[in-house]
Amino acid sequence: MGYLGMAEDDDQYRVPLIAKLLHALPHYNITFHRINNTFRPSNDVYLESLGILGSIPAALLIVSLFGLLLYLLTRCCDRKPRPAHSITSLKVTLSIVTVLCCAAIGLGLYGNDDLHNGLLEVLQAGRKVDGVVSSVRNQTFILENTLTMKIQQQLTELEDIFDQKTNNQTALAQLQQALLTAKGNITIAKNAANDIRRPLVGLTITDFLTKGDQWELIRWPGTVAILALLLVLCAVLLVGVARHSRCALILFSVCGLLAVTGSWLMSGLYLSTSVAVGDLCNDPADFLVHQAPHELPADILLYYTQCDISRSNPFTQRLRESQNAINNARNAMSTVSKISPVLFKNAGLAPKLGSVNADIKLCERLLTGLTALVDCRAVHYSYLVATRGLCECGLLGLVLMLIASFMAAILLTIMVWVDSHTWIYIRKSPPVISGSHTIAHPGRSAKHDLGQMQQQAQQQAQQQAQQQLHHQQAHAQAAQQAAQAQAHMMHHHQAMMRAGGTHTLGRLPSHSSPTHLHGPNNGKYATLSKHCKTLDANDFY
């Protein structure tokens, strides 16, 4: 097993397939000559090639807008009504394309989340590497400062004390030689620590990490907000199609043009960025070597990016020199601590000797910590996390966003075309034929149709009530005419009886001898209604 549970087969970076495909795309300059596709963001010619790739979606935007302009010029004056089934087919087409566009936007949200996670891994791994580099710089600075400002100064003070005359010159010479040995080894250890720290002085990525955090803090929610606005715009179109709303369809036509423009421009940006990241992921170590400060040798970067056991640690030699020098200084100070108290009993050497020995032990601990820090495994693991986060998860999310924006741009263009074709044939009110009768328009809403049916039902009820009232009035007139006819008949028969001079108290003459009465219905008077009784001559006497 490798470092932190990483398998040995996965301890080296491998270029993902998607990065190879993007890196294989041809790079052309403004004169259409193919150039080197090595990732060099500081090279103007390379940036020019990325700009040319990003202009392809911009050209498609111009073509789509020109096609839409030609369509509107041919359709804006066409006011011929269309049958209901033609507008229905347009509504179904709009609904299907809108749902597909929503799916493309959802793919973009998924890709945006993948890109965000990949960039977070890059930033976190970068902070770990920056922490290791900062720790090495700090510990080497403390080591160098301890050797120079503390141990060397104290040894100089001891050297001044040891210049005094003593009776035992042989012991004094031995003491001075041990002190010189300690001072020389302290100088060697200081120089070795300085050699370790010097290449790392200009290596700082704190500013890059800070800017990356700020940029991602704006990019991720900004992208989510833009895609959410596109979803709202699609929802407006669906509502307009469902309710047959002319205003909603016109609103989408206006805002849809902005959405189409933004989608094509985002496609160009994502295409250029994807190709650039693919070029970077083809050989990220080469880019790091190229961007490294001049003080940092290339073999140091290659050692940490590859962490190959065949390569020796570039700091190992200096660390060993420093450790050997510290050990020699400690042995020399052991000799000094044995001889000096005997030769200089009243000089008060114990505190100074104790301080020097304590500082030497501190330097030994710092060197032990440095040995662990400069090991390649920790930095190499962070390097693998960063490259895989960017080139696998992040690049995949970026490509998904590219595909989503490209699909959304095409579908939004189709939606604007079909929507502009639909709302032109929607009328606000249907044409009137006669009276209260109108032709049912295919665009009338269900609510309007229900109100019209209720109005027609009320009119029919009023007509029936008026007819029933006229019928009752006719019955009343017929009854009045019948009463008048009865009165007239009674007066007529009374006059006849007085004219004949005879009058019987019994049966009427008609009872004894039937007499034919002149007139229609044999003397009977028909009524105007079946509810009125038919009158004859016997009813009057």
Side-chain angles (χ1 to χ4, degrees):
M1 297 297 291
Y3 185 73
L4 296 179
M6 185 173 55
E8 293 181 358
D9 294 338
D10 297 332
D11 61 352
Q12 295 297 326
Y13 171 75
R14 293 177 177 82
V15 182
L17 176 61
I18 190 171
K20 293 180 180 179
L21 295 177
L22 290 171
H23 182 68
L25 290 177
H27 294 56
Y28 293 97
N29 59 6
I30 195 65
T31 60
F32 293 99
H33 289 86
R34 190 162 183 174
I35 65 170
N36 186 13
N37 54 1
T38 303
F39 182 70
R40 292 290 183 266
S42 58
N43 190 342
D44 294 336
V45 178
Y46 177 78
L47 295 178
E48 184 179 282
S49 66
L50 295 180
I52 292 175
L53 287 174
S55 63
I56 296 176
L60 295 177
L61 168 63
I62 296 175
V63 172
S64 62
L65 292 179
F66 182 72
L68 180 62
L69 177 62
L70 293 179
Y71 168 76
L72 292 178
L73 289 177
T74 57
R75 291 295 183 180
C76 63
C77 298
D78 187 2
R79 295 292 180 178
K80 184 172 66 174
R82 292 293 188 272
H85 63 83
S86 63
I87 299 181
T88 302
S89 61
L90 291 176
K91 291 167 63 177
V92 172
T93 303
L94 270 179
S95 301
I96 295 175
V97 177
T98 303
V99 172
L100 293 177
C101 185
C102 291
I105 296 173
L107 180 64
L109 289 172
Y110 181 81
N112 182 54
D113 191 61
D114 275 356
L115 177 60
H116 178 68
N117 294 332
L119 292 178
L120 287 182
E121 290 183 0
V122 173
L123 296 174
Q124 291 175 359
R127 279 189 286 268
K128 290 182 180 180
V129 173
D130 187 61
V132 172
V133 174
S134 299
S135 298
V136 173
R137 282 200 304 261
N138 293 336
Q139 292 205 24
T140 52
F141 176 78
I142 295 173
L143 177 61
E144 188 177 357
N145 185 67
T146 302
L147 293 171
T148 305
M149 303 302 296
K150 293 184 178 181
I151 297 179
Q152 279 192 345
Q153 288 185 359
Q154 292 173 350
L155 292 179
T156 302
E157 293 175 359
L158 290 174
E159 187 178 13
D160 294 338
I161 295 174
F162 296 159
D163 286 340
Q164 299 177 7
K165 296 181 179 180
T166 60
N167 296 328
N168 192 345
Q169 293 297 323
T170 304
L172 180 60
Q174 186 179 3
L175 178 62
Q176 291 177 347
Q177 182 63 38
L179 187 61
L180 289 175
T181 301
K183 289 181 65 177
N185 283 279
I186 293 300
T187 302
I188 294 174
K190 180 192 69 173
N191 293 334
N194 187 36
D195 291 340
I196 295 174
R197 186 173 61 89
R198 189 188 307 114
L200 305 178
V201 172
L203 181 60
T204 175
I205 57 176
T206 304
D207 295 338
F208 170 77
L209 296 175
T210 302
K211 292 180 181 179
D213 285 331
Q214 294 175 353
W215 181 76
E216 185 61 17
L217 188 63
I218 297 173
R219 188 208 64 81
W220 183 73
T223 304
V224 172
I226 293 174
L227 296 180
L229 286 178
L230 292 180
L231 287 177
V232 171
L233 188 61
C234 292
V236 170
L237 180 59
L238 289 176
V239 171
V241 170
R243 297 181 61 86
H244 213 75
S245 174
R246 182 185 178 95
C247 294
L249 297 180
I250 294 176
L251 176 63
F252 178 83
S253 296
V254 176
C255 297
L257 292 176
L258 298 177
V260 169
T261 304
S263 297
W264 281 118
L265 293 179
M266 285 193 298
S267 298
L269 177 62
Y270 292 149
L271 178 59
S272 300
T273 307
S274 299
V275 173
V277 175
D279 295 337
L280 170 62
C281 294
N282 186 67
D283 193 358
D286 177 71
F287 171 72
L288 293 178
V289 171
H290 186 268
Q291 293 295 118
H294 297 291
E295 297 82 5
L296 185 62
D299 59 338
I300 295 179
L301 280 174
L302 293 177
Y303 170 74
Y304 285 101
T305 55
Q306 297 178 3
C307 196
D308 191 357
I309 58 176
S310 62
R311 290 177 176 268
S312 61
N313 192 326
F315 297 113
T316 301
Q317 183 178 358
R318 291 302 183 185
L319 283 173
R320 287 176 180 175
E321 290 179 0
S322 182
Q323 289 174 348
N324 292 332
I326 293 296
N327 290 330
N328 293 333
R330 180 168 52 80
N331 294 331
M333 286 305 300
S334 176
T335 302
V336 171
S337 299
K338 291 178 180 179
I339 299 175
S340 60
V342 176
L343 294 179
F344 304 95
K345 295 181 180 180
N346 299 324
L349 299 177
K352 296 183 184 307
L353 294 174
S355 178
V356 171
N357 291 324
D359 291 337
I360 290 176
K361 290 181 180 179
L362 175 62
C363 292
E364 289 178 343
R365 290 195 299 269
L366 290 174
L367 287 173
T368 302
L370 280 173
T371 303
L373 285 174
V374 298
D375 185 79
C376 68
R377 288 178 294 177
V379 176
H380 180 67
Y381 178 77
S382 298
Y383 168 76
L384 290 179
V385 171
T387 52
R388 290 171 181 173
L390 176 64
C391 301
E392 293 180 3
C393 182
L395 185 57
L396 176 61
L398 191 59
V399 171
L400 290 179
M401 294 176 67
L402 169 63
I403 296 173
S405 60
F406 188 80
M407 292 176 57
I410 296 177
L411 294 174
L412 284 171
T413 303
I414 297 174
M415 290 161 62
V416 171
W417 283 351
V418 179
D419 176 70
S420 301
H421 184 77
T422 303
W423 69 261
I424 291 178
Y425 302 113
I426 296 179
R427 301 291 184 266
K428 294 183 179 179
S429 59
V432 179
I433 292 181
S434 63
S436 60
H437 298 283
T438 59
I439 297 177
H441 195 277
R444 186 170 297 276
S445 63
K447 182 177 180 182
H448 186 78
D449 294 338
L450 181 60
Q452 184 179 7
M453 294 175 60
Q454 292 178 352
Q455 185 177 3
Q456 292 178 356
Q458 291 178 358
Q459 292 178 356
Q460 292 178 0
Q462 291 178 358
Q463 292 177 359
Q464 291 178 359
Q466 290 177 358
Q467 291 178 0
Q468 188 174 9
L469 180 61
H470 288 311
H471 187 66
Q472 291 177 357
Q473 290 178 355
H475 277 268
Q477 291 178 0
Q480 186 177 4
Q481 291 177 0
Q484 290 177 358
Q486 289 178 0
H488 179 72
M489 183 62 70
M490 290 177 65
H491 287 296
H492 177 70
H493 282 282
Q494 287 177 1
M496 289 177 62
M497 293 297 294
R498 285 192 296 267
T502 60
H503 181 70
T504 60
L505 296 176
R507 292 172 57 89
L508 291 175
S510 61
H511 293 174
S512 58
S513 60
T515 305
H516 179 73
L517 296 180
H518 301 282
N521 297 325
N522 194 21
K524 297 180 180 180
Y525 297 88
T527 62
L528 296 176
S529 174
K530 64 181 180 179
H531 298 289
C532 297
K533 181 181 179 181
T534 302
L535 301 178
D536 52 23
N538 297 330
D539 293 329
F540 293 99
Y541 301 99

